[in-house]
Structures are given as structure tokens and as C-alpha cells.
Amino acid sequence: MSFFRKIQALGWALDANGKPASRFGGPMIIAHRGASDHAQENTLPAFELATRFGADMWELDVRNTADGIPVISHDDNLERVFGVDATISSLTQNQLQALENVHVATLEEAIILADHLDTGLYIEIKGEGASLTTLKLLQEKFFGFAALGSFIPDYLADLAECDCPYPLSVLVGPDHDPFELANAAHADAIHLCWERASDRPDQLLNDALVERARAEDLPIILWHEERPEIIRKIMQKDVIGVCSNRPELLVPYANSPARPSGFPKGPEVVCHRGINKLAPENSLEAARLVFEQGFDWLELDVHQTADNHLVVIHDGDLDRTTNGSGPIASKTLSELRALDAGSWFSDQYAGTQIPTLAEMVDLAKVWNKRIYIEIKQADPKLVLDLVHEKGFLDHCFFWSFEWSQIETLRQLEPKANIMARTIDYPSLDALFETANPAIVEINISEEIKDEIDRIRARGAKSMLCYMGQDTAIMERIISLAPDMVNLDNPHLWKETWHRSLLALGGKTLST
């Protein structure tokens, strides 16, 4: 039975051409060991994160414990991931669970989570005997949204002899013939692991190879890819799936360097404290993730150190987001740089430093992006001097809870772009008379009638603010058609925007 007949029989969602249906159209987004660039590989948190950020399936590695329990780990030895010199194949499941600071998930746990999140499992068989224990468990759990793969043809041939109802994929390194391996494994698909084969592995996927695969009824799955310029190429190929440690890069969006959607862009997106669900808030990594996905604005918070440097951190003290304590204003820059500002978020970011405002501006300039600067506790002149020094005045706007700081900033630089919030004024007229902003923020919880049109009539931009995760509210924001949106979950906006435009035939409400 072919790959496509198998997935139809298993009840996979299919597109109009009978291929696996991605949430975003095109090839399936397969998160390699979960969102493994952002969380510990092959763990339940990495899998859950992957689904939140666009994955249709999780690629995971399965091997058996000494007592035959299928568990999830790429390596048999635990040293690389957990720092423990012990092998899974020599330990019973109980012994494995008893190890301190070792958290190896079982396949059963992954199946339960995948079923709950409506996400598929692309299971690579790693160890002897894991083929049949995996098949048995999938069938016991009545889990149909799964495919099985391996570099070892014999593992797949064993499954084929059992009339395995799940599609079988042979993994192929750059020095092997994919069709010879597919024949030896009785595989239903070929998975090309060519990420290191050249600087341009997409060029190795030539027309002749694709045509032969089509003729032999062997759909193609591609290697894990994180380079935006390569992702852009391979997502347009005739393949059914692409793996990545960073599934968010494979989600289509108008300005995405990796996967531009072709849809209208819509409102400018402001990312609150960066992509703070993947990296520590207000970190350089959280900022880089904003720009890599094609979003427009980074929102950040500025404090002044004891030696008059400007640093980016939200709270006035260090306790919540670093391993330090006490007020930021009492610390020098060198003292702050010595702190760990990442471990509170995850072990992945241990050693992350508190960035300076100058570093953030430099990063934005590299990407030709813009910044919303919220002044927390800092001298407005110091902030303005840095912005002028960097030639960044036209690429940022300012706001502060302490409005006197904004008044000082405007006195120093009348051309500075100021933001004001409707919630702080009795009326829109009062807001413009007092603040005369370039941008007006409206919280989505406020009553919104004709404010957006009235703001535009005054020559300013409207910005709707929503810090939640309800996609129905995001759909309402889309219907209101603001100029900008300020979001804590821009990844959900990206998916909601794509889904809404699909429903509208690729047109926005304003087109």
C-alpha cells in the first residue's frame, strides 16, 4: 500500500491533491526533536512549544529501555543531553526514571500529548526492537496520525513484514542512493538528510530526482533546516514535509525572510518584550526572533545604571529575571553584565546577559527594523542622545508611565515620535490636545467605535493592544483594521492572520 493510501486509511487530514494537509498549506511543518532550538530536545515541553509555533508534526527518536519500554531519546547514552554517563538500553524504565536530573519521556506520554494537541508523530526508530514496540503502542492507543522512519532499512523491513499500516520513511544520508535504500527497506517515502551535504542542499534536490521519486510513488521529506534562504527555496519544492529545529521560521508571513506568504501584510506588528515565549523577555535573542520572522517592531523597556548606561530590562529590580537582586539603578553596567539573565526562563538560555539599548538599536539597524522604546527609569536626554548618535530617531517611538519623561523628551526633540494611550485620557480630543502623538494605543478591552478613523483623520496611527492568547479576539482586531497591533503572542497573530486571509481569498477587509 502506498504512502498516500496509508494516510487516507489512517484518517490523516488531506488537501485537495490528496497530500497531507498542513495548517498553512504546502509541505507539512515537522519540528525536529520538537522546537529543539528553544527547548531541550525530545522533551514534552519542546513538543508542546513546537505545536504552539506552527508544527504539524513532531519528529522524535524512539529506543527501548532494557525492559522493552519505548522512550524518546536520540542517543542511547545520556551524557550529551543530561550529563549522565548511562545508557538507556541497559536500564529498566524504573531505573531510568530514578536518575536524578534526567527526564526522558516515554512514547506513551508523547502520544497522549499529541492526541490532545492534534499534532502528528514522525517517529524515527533508533534502537533494536523499538520498531515493533512502537507499532504495538500506536495501535493500542488507536493513534493514526503517525509515520515511522529510520536510517536502518532492516528496522523498516521488519515493520513492512508485519503489514504495518503506518507510512514508512527511509532516512538517507548524502552518500547513499535514496531509491536503493527505499527498495531495501520497503519504504513508502524517502527522507533526505542532506542539511550538511553542501552550502546549498536545495540545489541537490533536482528535477530528475523529484521526477523519479514521483514515478516510483515515493513522496519526499526533507532534512531539518534553519537557514532562512534555504527554507525559502525548499518550501516551494514538491515535497510533503520539511523538518526544522525552529518551526516558527516555516510559518508563512508576508515579510518573512524564510517563507513569505504572498498575502497582504496587514497591520504593523509590535512584539512586546520580543518573542518572549521562545526566549527571555527583553533579551537580544528575543529581539532577533522578532526580526527573523519578519515582524516590524520590537518593544523594550529601558533603565539607567548607576554609571549612566542604558540597559534593557522590564522590572526596576533584578529579582524576577536574573540571579541578582536589588535595584538596577544601584548597579554598574559591569555588575549587571556579570549576572545570568536567562536561566530563569530555561536552561537553554543560561548565561544570557542583560543587553544595552545600544546593542538593541544596532541589531534593529542590521535588520532595518524599528523599536518602541518604553522609558522606565532613565534620563530622557541620555536616551535621546543615544538614539541621535545611532541615527535612529525616525525608526523608533517613545512612551512612559511617567509622562513627565515624555514631556522632557519632546522639549529636547520636537521631532520625536510619541505614543499616547486612550485609557489615560477622558476623550480622544483631550488626548490630542495634551499629547499630540504620532501613535495612539487603544486597548482591545475598551469600547471601540469610530476611534480608528478619527485617529487617522488627525494624521496619527492607531495601535490596538492585546496581551492575551484568544484567537477570536485577534480575529476581531483584524476586522477593525488598525494600523498597528501591540502583541504578547505574535506567533498566534501570524497564524490567525493567515487563516483569516485564506477565508477571504487572500484579501484584507480594506482591499
Side-chain angles (χ1 to χ4, degrees):
M1 190 183 295
S2 72
F3 182 96
F4 297 111
R5 287 180 180 271
K6 282 186 174 183
I7 65 172
Q8 184 177 24
L10 289 166
W12 287 31
L14 306 177
D15 65 16
N17 298 314
K19 294 182 177 180
S22 169
R23 288 152 66 178
F24 303 97
M28 298 275 279
I29 299 173
I30 305 172
H32 182 245
R33 307 180 198 173
S36 54
D37 256 24
H38 308 298
Q40 189 173 79
E41 66 177 56
N42 275 321
T43 60
L44 299 180
F47 299 146
E48 185 171 6
L49 197 62
T51 297
R52 288 171 60 192
F53 279 82
D56 301 300
M57 302 185 82
W58 310 323
E59 186 275 342
L60 50 84
D61 305 290
V62 173
R63 57 181 69 251
N64 284 348
T65 61
D67 52 344
I69 304 300
V71 297
I72 302 170
S73 177
H74 180 273
D75 304 349
D76 187 30
N77 192 286
L78 298 168
E79 179 70 34
R80 178 179 64 87
V81 177
F82 297 105
V84 175
D85 186 15
T87 55
I88 290 171
S89 57
S90 66
L91 299 171
T92 67
Q93 173 62 4
N94 286 340
Q95 290 171 331
L96 182 61
Q97 287 183 323
L99 293 176
E100 190 173 350
N101 298 320
V102 173
H103 307 286
V104 177
T106 65
L107 177 58
E108 182 174 10
E109 289 174 321
I111 291 172
I112 292 169
L113 182 62
D115 188 52
H116 174 68
L117 296 176
D118 194 23
T119 305
L121 297 180
Y122 183 44
I123 301 170
E124 182 182 342
I125 305 300
K126 281 293 186 184
E128 187 76 34
S131 301
L132 298 182
T133 57
T134 296
L135 174 60
K136 181 173 183 289
L137 187 58
L138 287 170
Q139 292 179 315
E140 286 176 353
K141 294 296 181 181
F142 300 100
F143 189 83
F145 192 7
L148 305 177
S150 182
F151 278 102
I152 301 174
D154 286 349
Y155 290 173
L156 299 181
D158 289 344
L159 287 166
E161 286 183 11
C162 298
D163 294 323
C164 176
Y166 297 95
L168 303 177
S169 170
V170 64
L171 279 64
V172 183
D175 298 324
H176 295 86
D177 184 317
F179 301 102
E180 287 183 6
L181 287 180
N183 183 61
H186 303 285
D188 308 304
I190 51 177
H191 180 149
L192 307 177
C193 299
W194 292 355
E195 63 272 9
R196 297 184 185 91
S198 83
D199 292 337
R200 289 292 307 276
D202 57 292
Q203 295 178 346
L204 302 177
L205 189 64
N206 56 45
D207 290 344
L209 189 152
V210 172
E211 285 298 325
R212 182 176 174 185
R214 188 182 297 119
E216 298 192 19
D217 204 11
L218 288 170
I220 298 171
I221 302 159
L222 295 185
W223 57 87
H224 72 87
E225 186 57 71
E226 291 74 47
R227 293 163 288 188
E229 66 278 11
I230 307 298
I231 292 172
R232 190 171 183 139
K233 300 289 186 181
I234 63 178
M235 292 302 284
Q236 301 176 51
K237 298 282 188 178
D238 184 13
V239 299
I240 61 167
V242 175
C243 298
S244 182
N245 300 339
R246 302 185 56 195
E248 76 278 3
L249 293 181
L250 277 59
V251 175
Y253 185 60
N255 281 6
S256 169
R259 194 182 178 188
S261 68
F263 283 166
K265 181 183 163 301
E268 298 170 21
V269 175
V270 180
C271 299
H272 181 244
R273 306 181 201 171
I275 305 297
N276 63 64
K277 302 300 185 291
L278 287 180
E281 65 179 54
N282 277 322
S283 66
L284 281 168
E285 179 65 9
R288 184 177 63 82
L289 291 167
V290 170
F291 306 144
E292 283 187 340
Q293 293 183 70
F295 296 121
D296 307 279
W297 294 84
L298 166 69
E299 186 271 346
L300 53 75
D301 308 284
V302 177
H303 286 265
Q304 185 172 331
T305 67
D307 52 346
N308 297 323
H309 289 276
L310 297 172
V311 292
V312 176
I313 184 171
H314 180 270
D315 300 357
D317 59 59
L318 296 161
D319 299 67
R320 181 175 67 88
T321 59
T322 79
N323 62 342
S325 62
I328 293 161
S330 68
K331 308 291 185 182
T332 65
L333 179 61
S334 61
E335 289 174 324
L336 294 176
R337 290 293 220 183
L339 298 176
D340 180 350
S343 291
W344 70 274
F345 184 84
S346 78
D347 291 341
Q348 295 278 113
Y349 291 101
T352 296
Q353 291 183 317
I354 297 172
T356 63
L357 179 58
E359 288 174 325
M360 289 294 205
V361 171
D362 287 342
L363 182 63
K365 289 177 70 175
V366 168
W367 287 89
N368 194 27
K369 297 293 184 178
R370 293 170 286 179
I371 299 179
Y372 161 14
I373 300 173
E374 180 177 339
I375 302 174
K376 288 291 190 183
Q377 295 174 345
D379 180 353
K381 184 179 184 304
L382 203 60
V383 175
L384 198 57
D385 286 347
L386 186 144
V387 168
H388 276 307
E389 178 188 331
K390 298 287 184 182
F392 203 66
L393 186 66
D394 293 336
H395 302 279
C396 64
F397 69 87
F398 304 90
W399 182 73
S400 178
F401 277 105
E402 297 292 335
W403 191 252
S404 61
Q405 292 187 320
I406 298 301
E407 290 177 332
T408 299
L409 188 143
R410 171 164 278 164
Q411 289 169 4
L412 293 168
E413 178 49 88
K415 293 181 181 180
N417 297 308
I418 302 302
M419 188 271 281
R421 308 186 309 173
T422 54
I423 198 171
D424 296 326
Y425 297 87
S427 68
L428 201 56
D429 288 338
L431 180 151
F432 275 99
E433 289 170 8
T434 304
N436 191 27
I439 296 166
V440 177
E441 182 179 82
I442 309 171
N443 194 288
I444 194 61
S445 63
E446 299 177 62
E447 185 177 6
I448 302 172
K449 295 179 181 177
D450 60 350
E451 283 81 2
I452 290 174
D453 289 338
R454 290 170 60 199
I455 289 166
R456 288 185 183 134
R458 295 270 197 157
K461 287 185 176 182
S462 60
M463 180 169 73
L464 292 188
C465 176
Y466 177 54
M467 296 291 110
Q469 303 182 56
D470 189 337
T471 56
I473 292 177
M474 291 184 179
E475 288 171 357
R476 179 175 172 241
I477 293 173
I478 290 170
S479 71
L480 292 168
D483 302 297
M484 304 170 68
V485 289
N486 183 11
L487 304 168
D488 202 47
N489 293 279
H491 62 286
L492 291 177
W493 172 266
K494 188 162 58 169
E495 181 167 355
T496 306
W497 178 255
H498 185 85
R499 187 174 61 244
S500 297
L501 264 63
L502 278 178
L504 292 169
K507 297 180 179 180
T508 64
L509 293 176
S510 59
T511 59

